[in-house]
Amino acid sequence: MPEPVAPFTSRVIPLPAENVDTDQIIPARFLKTTEKSGLAEGLFYNWRYLPDGTPRPDFVLNRPEMAGRAVLLGGPNFGPGSSREHAPWALLAWGIRAVISTGFADIFRQNALKNGLLPIAVPTERHAALFELVAADPDVELTVDLAAQSVRVLPSRPGVAAAAAVGETFPFEIDPFARQMLLEGTDEIGYVLGRLPAIETWEAAHPARVNTLA
Amino acid sequence: MTETPRPRTLVEKIWDDHVVRQEEGAPAILAIDLHLVHEVTSPQAFTGLRARGLPVRHPERTVATEDHSIPTLPRTGRDLPTVDSQAAFQVAQLERNCRDFGIPLHGVGSDTQGIVHVIGPELGLSQPGMTIVCGDSHTATHGAVGALAFGIGTSEVEMVLATQCLLQRRPKTYEVRVDGRLAPGVSAKDIILALIARIGVGGGTGHVFEYTGEAIRALGMEQRMTICNMSIEGGARAGLVAPDDTTFEYLRGRRHAPQGAAWDAAVERWRTLPSDPGAVYDRSITLDASALEPMVTYGTNPGMGIGIGGHIPDPSAAPDEAGRRALEKALGYMDLRPGEPIAGRKVDVVFIGSCTNSRIGDLRQAAALLRGRHVAAGTRLLVVPGSQQVKAQAEREGLDEVFRAAGGEWRESGCSMCIAMNGDQLEPGEYAVSTSNRNFEGRQGTGGRTFLASPLTAAASAIAGVVADPRPLVDRDPAVVGGR
Ligand code: SF4
């Protein structure tokens, strides 16, 4: 049973790259696992480590102050490419609980929602303003509230949020059904199995198109 | 009083046909006709199923193969030279899951093994009007037969195994009309690379592409698959082509296609699928096929593509800051300079394979250019057929000999260097011309650099040892390659 998603507060990891594809989030060689766990080490592996395995000092996740942060502020169009659910698994395993971008690739967004990783899409201007805010106040905290569909901005110094024109709180859109499932911790497979009679009726009226066993 | 039915698109017809239940505010419960499974995205789904104590609801609508993590080295006996024990375990796990849950497996050692998106249509499993899913973003490939086919994540794989249904919201529709006719030496791959270069990798997000127009109608099934395959690279989760006589001719007589009277009934049903006159798409775009030249990507996403006669773009000319940064980063990774021509760049490896371009027609095109010629010194050519059936057909035609005589390697079927998790990969810094679908950083091996192109461009580049235009070779020998 998934855990209900409660509000949380975190500082922000800025990663301005555009079109961060799922091959970057978790390179293919980590896909040989048959488990969901243990993927934190592979997260952004090729960006995090030099070929000899030592950390790249200039990559944001390697900065000591990033440890424990749960909000990733990503560049535009986050998560295109492969359908690998290992991408949200790896982000969650590292500790990320929400990604903010201008938009998300369809499969990534769905995969994220199935795992309680919140894909928060904001308009381009606010997205740019958030990067400005984090640059001006690297310790700014955000409270992400799924029930209220809002993000509250908690600057570490007065005035910076207003200067960046982000506002005190801002709303975000999220699929209302996915939101409900996440707030209640409802299991989607259980939800569909609860409607088995409808499936049986449909199947009775629609003969199978193929028999793969034939 | 009878109402005239509202004209519907192909996508809407398939969608309406498969809605099991639509509750207010909730996504539809959508029935799935065919579920394809492979070793990489399924293990955790089977684990979930076991934890719930559930069977696979319809093993006879499910089919599995091994393709991603298997090696393509010659297979002797039962021992598979997998890249490591983890990959071996993953393959063994799929075999066990298929056994335990009664799912047919076209696995290693079978004469029907192959890349999941090659074998679906090849076996006649993928049919018009179906809903088809797979834990793989290139499931859109099956849209070429007129099916609504899309990639899903592992949680959704578990959902389909358990219920043969998915929770889905109706996608928006996007007509991609391709008018005109392709010139010789220009092929389906160039159409799709040109589309993505135009709309960008996020251009189709939230939509399903329907490819229409004279140029698409003129294409054979395999070329339509090449185009539908890369719909995801334009951000669309699915892409499809309305079924027509080309589709029916392709499917007729295939192992899982309907036979006899059932065939006639099926064709009659399939003929009702194409979008109605006057049907409205949410978006549309038109390309002119006759204006296209062979396309090559220069950057680190599939939208960074230019004509073979083009030059590397200048980041300072990018329309916005994010675009400038992205282009600078991409050119840094690729070690390319603004303004330099793409043609003539040194190539270390040429890879002909993947679910985009590893079918018999692709291999015939490449072989036509390579026959009697040799791969340039210092360039490695790797040819990987998409399935065992493709491999057998190519060998019957002597194409394997053409590739070998040219100095190329001829492999067993699999994903190979498209994903580089199976032993086939670029070394850091190497450049490849690849017929696959993704040029992301490290996709073909950590530090490897990819130029995506068609099989014709790949073959011409192998011969030249640099990124090369195939048209001079095609022009010299127009009989061998129609370009279509
Ligand atoms: S060939 Fe490449 S893109 Fe196609 S299924 Fe295999 S890994 Fe995925």
Side-chain angles (χ1 to χ4, degrees):
Chain A
M1 217 42 154
E3 285 292 312
V5 174
F8 62 93
T9 299
S10 167
R11 291 179 185 161
V12 181
I13 305 166
L15 183 67
E18 197 179 19
N19 301 318
V20 172
D21 60 80
T22 52
D23 270 85
Q24 305 317 312
I25 300 173
I26 183 87
R29 61 186 178 285
F30 296 101
L31 271 47
K32 287 176 285 185
T33 179
T34 52
E35 312 280 329
K36 291 186 188 181
S37 58
L39 287 161
E41 192 48 27
L43 180 69
F44 290 115
Y45 193 91
N46 294 343
W47 288 358
R48 252 163 95 194
Y49 298 101
L50 292 162
D52 68 4
T54 54
R56 285 179 196 268
D58 56 342
F59 185 62
V60 64
L61 281 193
N62 291 331
R63 303 216 304 258
E65 71 273 22
M66 295 298 151
R69 297 192 179 192
V71 175
L72 183 71
L73 177 59
N77 188 38
F78 195 88
S82 156
S83 65
R84 57 190 71 168
E85 201 161 319
H86 309 68
W89 294 336
L91 287 161
L92 285 161
W94 194 89
I96 309 286
R97 299 173 64 192
V99 181
I100 303 177
S101 173
T102 55
F104 297 87
D106 293 326
I107 306 180
F108 177 83
R109 193 187 60 244
Q110 296 241 21
N111 283 342
L113 288 170
K114 307 276 180 219
N115 291 278
L117 174 69
L118 300 180
I120 298 180
V122 295
T124 313
E125 307 76 53
R126 175 161 288 127
H127 185 247
L130 279 167
F131 272 105
E132 270 174 44
L133 171 65
V134 173
D137 182 5
D139 289 334
V140 63
E141 289 190 305
L142 301 181
T143 299
V144 177
D145 187 339
L146 177 62
Q149 284 182 246
S150 73
V151 176
R152 189 177 172 77
V153 181
L154 309 162
S156 71
R157 290 181 282 113
V160 281
V166 174
E168 268 178 36
T169 61
F170 59 86
F172 61 89
E173 293 296 318
I174 195 156
D175 182 292
F177 179 82
R179 172 177 165 275
Q180 202 55 33
M181 295 277 125
L182 290 172
L183 288 174
E184 292 167 358
T186 305
D187 167 52
E188 291 194 356
I189 293 180
Y191 170 91
V192 173
L193 286 175
R195 283 143 183 83
L196 209 50
I199 298 175
E200 283 164 352
T201 306
W202 189 91
E203 286 180 350
H206 296 79
R209 308 284 180 110
V210 281
N211 178 2
T212 58
L213 291 163
Chain B
M1 193 179 88
T2 56
E3 256 181 87
T4 337
R6 186 179 61 84
R8 292 181 300 164
T9 62
L10 167 59
V11 172
E12 291 174 288
K13 291 181 192 184
I14 301 176
W15 178 271
D16 293 347
D17 256 4
H18 289 83
V19 173
V20 168
R21 191 178 167 109
Q22 175 75 71
E23 287 172 33
E24 186 69 29
I29 299 180
L30 191 74
I32 301 303
D33 290 315
L34 177 67
H35 184 196
L36 304 140
V37 171
H38 66 77
E39 75 277 23
V40 173
T41 55
S42 69
Q44 297 86 349
F46 283 107
T47 303
L49 214 56
R50 281 199 179 87
R52 294 168 189 273
L54 288 174
V56 171
R57 180 165 176 81
H58 284 299
E60 82 291 352
R61 300 181 198 186
T62 312
V63 66
T65 187
E66 295 153 346
D67 52 5
H68 283 67
S69 55
I70 57 159
T72 60
L73 294 165
R75 287 162 199 164
T76 41
R78 279 291 307 156
D79 271 347
L80 199 58
T82 36
V83 50
D84 57 25
S85 60
Q86 223 189 354
F89 183 72
Q90 195 169 59
V91 169
Q93 195 66 18
L94 181 69
E95 291 175 1
R96 183 183 150 214
N97 288 332
C98 288
R99 230 181 7 253
D100 289 359
F101 290 95
I103 295 167
L105 170 65
H106 299 267
V108 174
S110 141
D111 61 5
T112 48
Q113 180 271 340
I115 304 174
V116 62
H117 311 309
V118 175
I119 70 167
E122 183 175 84
L123 293 169
L125 286 165
S126 315
Q127 295 171 18
M130 280 185 166
T131 49
I132 302 176
V133 297
C134 174
D136 196 283
S137 61
H138 291 100
T139 309
T141 314
H142 309 259
V145 304
L148 180 59
F150 53 92
I152 56 178
T154 298
S155 295
E156 292 181 311
V157 170
E158 187 179 338
M159 171 72 88
V160 179
L161 290 173
T163 68
Q164 202 63 30
C165 292
L166 272 178
L167 285 169
Q168 287 293 303
R169 299 225 178 243
R170 183 195 280 266
K172 296 210 261 305
T173 54
Y174 196 144
E175 181 184 20
V176 177
R177 193 161 123 199
V178 191
D179 291 330
R181 297 293 286 249
L182 289 169
V186 188
S187 61
K189 184 66 161 286
D190 304 308
I191 293 179
I192 188 65
L193 286 174
L195 172 72
I196 302 163
R198 179 119 153 236
I199 66 170
V201 294
T205 305
H207 293 73
V208 169
F209 292 142
E210 182 184 338
Y211 301 97
T212 66
E214 182 193 358
I216 302 294
R217 290 282 141 236
L219 294 174
M221 282 310 295
E222 296 187 354
Q223 289 93 339
R224 293 180 187 182
M225 288 178 211
T226 298
I227 291 183
C228 289
N229 173 272
M230 290 189 70
S231 301
I232 185 75
E233 265 63 64
R237 207 170 170 184
L240 35 54
V241 175
D244 58 11
D245 288 337
T246 303
T247 320
F248 309 144
E249 276 323 301
Y250 173 87
L251 284 171
R252 185 196 298 276
R254 291 191 182 263
R255 180 163 146 190
H256 287 278
Q259 315 286 338
W263 169 261
D264 296 334
V267 171
E268 202 174 311
R269 187 159 41 83
W270 296 341
R271 285 200 194 278
T272 67
L273 286 168
S275 296
D276 298 324
V280 179
Y281 299 87
D282 294 298
R283 290 181 74 177
S284 58
I285 190 173
T286 305
L287 302 185
D288 177 9
S290 59
L292 294 181
E293 55 176 338
M295 296 288 296
V296 190
T297 64
Y298 57 84
T300 52
N301 75 48
M304 296 176 170
I306 46 174
I308 189 111
H311 298 78
I312 307 299
D314 190 340
S316 63
D320 56 36
E321 175 61 17
R324 184 189 59 73
R325 245 197 333 251
L327 190 49
E328 261 171 13
K329 186 169 189 294
L331 296 189
Y333 182 84
M334 295 295 288
D335 196 19
L336 294 171
R337 259 146 293 288
E340 71 175 314
I342 186 80
R345 283 295 306 200
K346 168 99 182 68
V347 175
D348 303 293
V349 177
V350 171
F351 171 62
I352 298 177
S354 91
C355 57
T356 315
N357 284 124
S358 65
R359 297 178 184 81
I360 191 67
D362 302 313
L363 302 186
R364 284 180 190 143
Q365 287 200 338
L369 298 197
L370 284 156
R371 185 168 282 121
R373 297 196 173 91
H374 206 276
V375 174
T379 302
R380 174 186 176 205
L381 169 65
L382 186 63
V383 187
V384 184
S387 71
Q388 288 298 307
Q389 291 204 52
V390 170
K391 179 168 184 270
Q393 178 64 27
E395 289 175 355
R396 276 194 294 277
E397 296 177 21
L399 305 186
D400 57 325
E401 279 313 315
V402 173
F403 296 127
R404 277 200 209 92
E409 295 166 57
W410 176 245
R411 294 294 191 87
E412 296 291 333
S413 49
C415 295
S416 184
M417 203 183 275
C418 173
I419 191 158
M421 62 183 291
N422 44 49
D424 297 337
Q425 63 189 64
L426 297 176
E427 295 303 318
E430 279 188 335
Y431 288 92
V433 169
S434 177
T435 67
S436 56
N437 44 49
R438 288 188 172 140
N439 52 351
F440 297 147
E441 287 182 28
R443 170 78 180 189
Q444 298 197 279
T446 308
R449 297 157 171 156
T450 302
F451 300 121
L452 298 175
S454 73
L456 288 171
T457 303
S461 302
I463 295 161
V466 296
V467 175
D469 189 340
R471 288 173 298 181
L473 295 179
V474 172
D475 288 345
R476 213 174 299 155
D477 208 355
V480 288
V481 188
R484 283 180 282 272

